[in-house]
Amino acid sequence: MQLRHLVAILSCAFFMVLGTSSLASASQGFQPVSPEELKMTSEPLAPGAPAIVLFRQVDRDDTGVTAHEDNYFRIKILTEEGRKYGDIEIPFAKLGGGDVVALKARTIRPDGTIVDFQGKVYEKAITKAKGLKYFAKTFTLPDVQGGSIIEYSYTIVLEEHYVFNSHWILSNELFTKLARFSLKPYTNPSDNFHLRWTWQLLPPGTEAPKQGIDNFVRLQVNNIPGFRTEDFMPPETELKARVDFTYTQDHLEMDPVRFWKKRGKKLNDKMESFVDSRKAMEQAVTQIVSATDSPELKLQKIYARVQQLRNTSFEVRKTEQEQKRSKEKNASNVEEVWKRGYGNGVEITWVFLGLVRAAGIEAYGVMVSDRSNYFFDPRAMDANKLNSNVVLVKVNGKDVYCDPGAAFTPLGLLPWQETGVGGLRLDKEGGTWIETSVPTSAESRIERKADLKLTDTGDLEGKLTITFVGLEALQRRIEQRHSDEADRKKFLEDQVKEYIPAASEVDLSNKPEWNSSSNLLVAEFAVRIPGWASSAGRRVLLPVGIFSASEKRVFDHAERIHPIYFAFPFQKIDDVTIAVPGNWQTDSVPPAQVQDAKAVVYTLSVDKGNGTLHLTRKLKVDVMLLESKHYPTLRAFFQAVRTGDEEQIILRATGAKGSE
């Protein structure tokens, strides 16, 4: 299924356009608790729920230099299992001064007595992405028990000018009985901003968000279903009930075609203005390529040279104070980036475009949408979601998409978030919609080649070489770009341990090329799996699924709510040779396994030789998105994979060492 059809499958969005607006916000304090809330033991609309949200309020204020958002939760703990919701985690981003402040919390016991929170609030890092650290404030409420009510309020201080990412997320892990949302829009007469909003998956009977005479936008929602998280699902933002706000200085255009034509012209003018340093680019390209080089070779040389520029987008971000001290100004054109020898990812990609054009090769700038957090829908008319730039190069009649501004990315490969997505190929007429290419599963592989020996005690030990290919290599380089050698070593060793469905000893023995844009990332290990083979009298049973643990844990549930979503097509290929002790002989090997469900294929074969066993296993996934109606077929396929991986080779001891 193509990603461009996803929005039609997941939701139906609606649109409104309004003018700029002004003033007044509400702050939410703790409210009296009713006897009915204290007596509540269950919720008919959420049977079996360990807890529910009785009431939630979100008041967003986009006025002023720094936006902020007031949040309030009241949660009823229905069962002992629900006590875990007394451990609170509030995520936020620190960049630009973001923080969580004005935190208040309390527990209301079943008898109505109140225990105020006076404990310690902790801060922890929860993830890293593109040089940004995300954090969470965490704390535990006191005396939480079945029948309790917990409530807490806090304010998120957002980074400067964060109004351009305003939204309400209605869905919560827990069923929500009642929620109210408000937005005080940004207003500045000199900016002439207009506000547009879209919504999706509002519960039935919900009245659409409206702007009142006080200029606030408000929404009240009843009975919001709890959100269930599943493995391999599309981004949560695509599946949750939500309202998104977009500020634009464009004329209030209701027609998406006219909107994008106007916006495309502006984007093209901005891009061409930045790239318009033809003389400087022509001088630079003479230092990179030769006149006799083929177009393909010119492209390779230019790409390699551009990636030598220091990429500030993939460095650890400077603090606001450090940025002010350095007083760095943004580059005004590609010539300035070239002379400096550094730039951010967007600037470096445009330098590549300028050089390729100067070399006489047809090339276009393209704005695309990153699909890691949402799927782009032009009907929403949100230009902020065309947030990545790539270059489309025409070489020998073929379209080649390039993103040298994404660190470690080989020529002709895009980061997975930019594959299979809609984009606007820029030109002076307003642009043309395109869809970026998707690598085949063969282009993104994990190859595991092992030379092992089986000891008399049933241990497996030897050498393992893992070659990560294409997007599998790129992902790991980006994820580990800020780690030191020790952390990278542990990262790879932990991955191998996750592949093996038993306790193992793993030691990385080489130094992979972490800072390369090579299509390959090669890691070598010494591996030992104690007790992999088990004795049964004079027989020894040897499982064949040595690296199958990843497939043992997927699609266990009988039912599925959300579509199935793989980030990109991939293959896992295992080539394992096992030397068998001389006093053992192979009695039987499992029959060859072939499971072919078209988009997903699994094969396994075991061959016995003179004192050796040779195992080959291949798992191919050539799909990114499947509707949930196809889940039974996919689940049955992976159950067959697990069955195949659990097959065993039977060995027999022929000497004293193998007897009981």
Side-chain angles (χ1 to χ4, degrees):
M1 180 185 301
Q2 295 296 315
L3 286 174
R4 63 176 175 265
H5 299 313
L6 183 70
V7 174
I9 295 167
L10 298 180
S11 66
C12 181
F14 302 87
F15 312 98
M16 290 185 70
V17 179
L18 292 169
T20 56
S21 45
S22 153
L23 298 180
S25 169
S27 61
Q28 179 65 47
F30 292 148
Q31 302 297 309
V33 176
S34 70
E36 290 76 20
E37 289 175 327
L38 287 172
K39 293 177 184 177
M40 179 184 291
T41 59
S42 64
E43 168 53 56
L45 296 178
I52 66 166
V53 178
L54 292 171
F55 179 64
R56 178 187 174 202
Q57 183 155 333
V58 177
D59 296 314
R60 175 87 175 209
D61 185 344
D62 279 352
T63 61
V65 175
T66 303
H68 64 275
E69 182 179 276
D70 298 325
N71 287 263
Y72 169 70
F73 282 87
R74 173 176 286 180
I75 298 173
K76 175 70 178 185
I77 308 301
L78 297 172
T79 68
E80 287 300 301
E81 180 191 350
R83 294 173 58 194
K84 65 183 179 180
Y85 294 102
D87 296 325
I88 311 298
E89 182 174 288
I90 304 169
F92 70 102
K94 274 191 173 182
L95 184 67
D99 201 358
V100 174
V101 300
L103 176 62
K104 296 189 298 181
R106 66 179 186 174
T107 301
I108 304 168
R109 298 189 183 103
D111 63 4
T113 56
I114 295 172
V115 185
D116 289 324
F117 170 72
Q118 296 177 335
K120 186 174 179 59
V121 178
Y122 299 90
E123 185 176 292
K124 68 174 184 178
I126 54 176
T127 188
K128 296 180 181 180
K130 295 185 179 178
L132 293 173
K133 279 189 177 181
Y134 291 86
F135 294 83
K137 299 282 189 180
T138 66
F139 61 95
T140 299
L141 284 160
D143 203 17
V144 177
Q145 54 190 285
S148 296
I149 292 173
I150 61 175
E151 53 185 353
Y152 56 97
S153 63
Y154 58 91
T155 296
I156 297 180
V157 179
L158 301 163
E159 65 180 271
E160 291 185 6
H161 311 299
Y162 203 75
V163 296
F164 298 102
N165 192 22
S166 296
H167 54 258
W168 299 329
I169 305 297
L170 280 58
S171 300
N172 187 279
E173 178 184 351
L174 297 174
F175 172 87
T176 300
K177 199 167 184 65
L178 173 63
R180 294 193 182 106
F181 300 84
S182 74
L183 172 75
K184 179 164 65 171
Y186 173 82
T187 179
N188 187 330
S190 63
D191 288 337
N192 193 32
F193 275 105
H194 303 283
L195 180 64
R196 185 195 314 273
W197 59 89
T198 67
W199 59 90
Q200 66 177 30
L201 300 174
L202 298 184
T206 301
E207 189 174 344
K210 289 183 179 179
Q211 189 169 31
I213 58 174
D214 59 358
N215 291 322
F216 277 79
V217 183
R218 290 187 175 89
L219 173 69
Q220 177 168 309
V221 192
N222 296 90
N223 302 326
I224 306 171
F227 184 81
R228 184 167 124 185
T229 300
E230 296 176 317
D231 291 334
F232 299 101
M233 69 179 192
E236 289 189 7
T237 52
E238 286 297 320
L239 304 173
K240 289 183 173 181
R242 61 183 290 125
V243 179
D244 293 306
F245 296 91
T246 303
Y247 290 93
T248 176
Q249 289 178 300
D250 291 331
H251 177 70
L252 293 178
E253 181 58 71
M254 295 294 290
D255 178 37
V257 174
R258 290 196 294 266
F259 173 87
W260 286 111
K261 187 175 184 66
K262 294 173 184 177
R263 177 53 64 128
K265 288 180 178 180
K266 288 186 177 181
L267 290 171
N268 184 69
D269 290 345
K270 184 178 179 181
M271 182 267 292
E272 292 292 354
S273 175
F274 191 81
V275 175
D276 187 19
S277 299
R278 188 167 185 86
K279 185 176 180 180
M281 292 294 95
E282 287 175 344
Q283 291 175 347
V285 84
T286 60
Q287 303 169 18
I288 302 171
V289 304
S290 299
T292 56
D293 289 340
S294 66
E296 293 89 344
L297 184 55
K298 287 180 180 178
L299 198 61
Q300 292 170 13
K301 289 182 175 181
I302 293 170
Y303 193 91
R305 178 63 182 88
V306 167
Q307 284 208 315
Q308 292 174 12
L309 297 172
R310 182 164 65 87
N311 192 330
T312 59
S313 292
F314 288 81
E315 297 175 343
V316 177
R317 296 264 183 164
K318 296 180 179 179
T319 65
E320 187 177 359
Q321 291 78 14
E322 288 174 328
Q323 289 174 342
K324 288 179 179 178
R325 282 197 298 267
S326 65
K327 296 181 180 179
E328 292 180 347
K329 294 182 179 179
N330 292 331
S332 58
N333 53 49
V334 293
E335 181 180 3
E336 191 171 340
V337 177
W338 185 256
K339 288 180 177 178
R340 285 180 175 182
Y342 68 88
N344 61 40
V346 172
E347 293 168 343
I348 288 172
T349 297
W350 288 155
V351 170
F352 174 74
L353 174 61
L355 290 170
V356 170
R357 286 178 172 178
I361 301 173
E362 184 181 358
Y364 302 89
V366 181
M367 298 302 300
V368 299
S369 180
D370 178 336
R371 63 179 169 90
S372 59
N373 294 314
Y374 48 76
F375 296 120
F376 177 69
D377 182 358
R379 296 175 300 169
M381 294 178 281
D382 187 354
N384 295 318
K385 290 184 178 179
L386 284 181
N387 56 357
S388 296
N389 65 325
V390 302
V391 174
L392 170 58
V393 183
K394 300 280 189 177
V395 183
N396 292 330
K398 295 182 179 180
D399 290 348
V400 180
Y401 289 96
C402 306
D403 189 359
F408 317 120
T409 305
L411 174 65
L413 188 70
L414 297 176
W416 72 263
Q417 301 93 329
E418 297 174 356
T419 63
V421 298
L424 192 60
R425 192 188 81 174
L426 303 178
D427 60 45
K428 62 182 180 181
E429 300 301 324
T432 305
W433 290 109
I434 55 90
E435 185 169 305
T436 59
S437 55
V438 179
T440 65
S441 63
E443 295 174 272
S444 297
R445 309 187 305 277
I446 299 176
E447 297 178 354
R448 297 175 287 219
K449 182 174 177 58
D451 291 303
L452 308 172
K453 67 176 181 179
L454 182 64
T455 68
D456 289 324
T457 57
D459 302 343
L460 270 184
E461 56 187 30
K463 178 181 177 181
L464 168 66
T465 300
I466 300 183
T467 303
F468 301 101
V469 182
L471 291 174
E472 296 286 2
L474 175 58
Q475 263 195 297
R476 288 163 175 80
R477 285 190 170 107
I478 291 177
E479 184 176 344
Q480 293 294 304
R481 66 189 180 280
H482 299 315
S483 301
D484 60 21
E485 187 174 334
D487 285 342
R488 289 171 173 174
K489 183 175 188 292
K490 184 178 184 303
F491 168 77
L492 288 174
E493 290 172 350
D494 286 347
Q495 289 218 324
V496 174
K497 291 177 182 178
E498 290 174 4
Y499 296 150
I500 301 171
S504 58
E505 301 166 10
V506 180
D507 181 39
L508 179 68
S509 56
N510 75 325
K511 291 186 177 181
E513 294 184 66
W514 287 102
N515 297 320
S516 167
S517 291
S518 168
N519 200 47
L520 308 178
L521 178 67
V522 181
E524 298 173 354
F525 306 87
V527 176
R528 180 171 177 267
I529 311 174
W532 181 252
S534 58
S535 297
R538 292 178 60 84
R539 297 190 307 167
V540 174
L541 305 180
L542 182 68
V544 299
I546 299 173
F547 302 115
S548 64
S550 301
E551 284 68 59
K552 286 182 178 292
R553 299 186 290 267
V554 299
F555 306 130
D556 280 338
H557 296 288
E559 296 180 353
R560 179 86 181 188
I561 297 175
H562 303 306
I564 302 96
Y565 177 57
F566 297 100
F568 52 87
F570 64 90
Q571 292 184 11
K572 295 180 181 179
I573 302 173
D574 297 336
D575 184 344
V576 181
T577 300
I578 301 174
V580 178
N583 58 312
W584 290 358
Q585 70 178 32
T586 304
D587 267 5
S588 66
V589 298
Q593 304 284 323
V594 179
Q595 298 292 330
D596 188 347
K598 306 304 179 184
V600 285
V601 179
Y602 164 80
T603 60
L604 173 72
S605 64
V606 182
D607 298 313
K608 58 181 180 179
N610 185 18
T612 62
L613 295 164
H614 186 214
L615 288 68
T616 57
R617 176 185 186 271
K618 183 176 181 179
L619 176 66
K620 182 176 74 169
V621 175
D622 252 323
V623 65
M624 288 196 297
L625 179 70
L626 285 173
E627 295 178 68
S628 56
K629 67 182 181 181
H630 298 298
Y631 178 67
T633 301
L634 187 67
R635 182 170 182 261
F637 170 83
F638 275 95
Q639 287 177 327
V641 170
R642 287 192 285 272
T643 299
D645 289 338
E646 289 168 359
E647 293 279 1
Q648 296 184 327
I649 300 165
I650 300 177
L651 305 172
R652 182 164 51 87
T654 58
K657 290 183 180 180
S659 61
E660 292 183 70

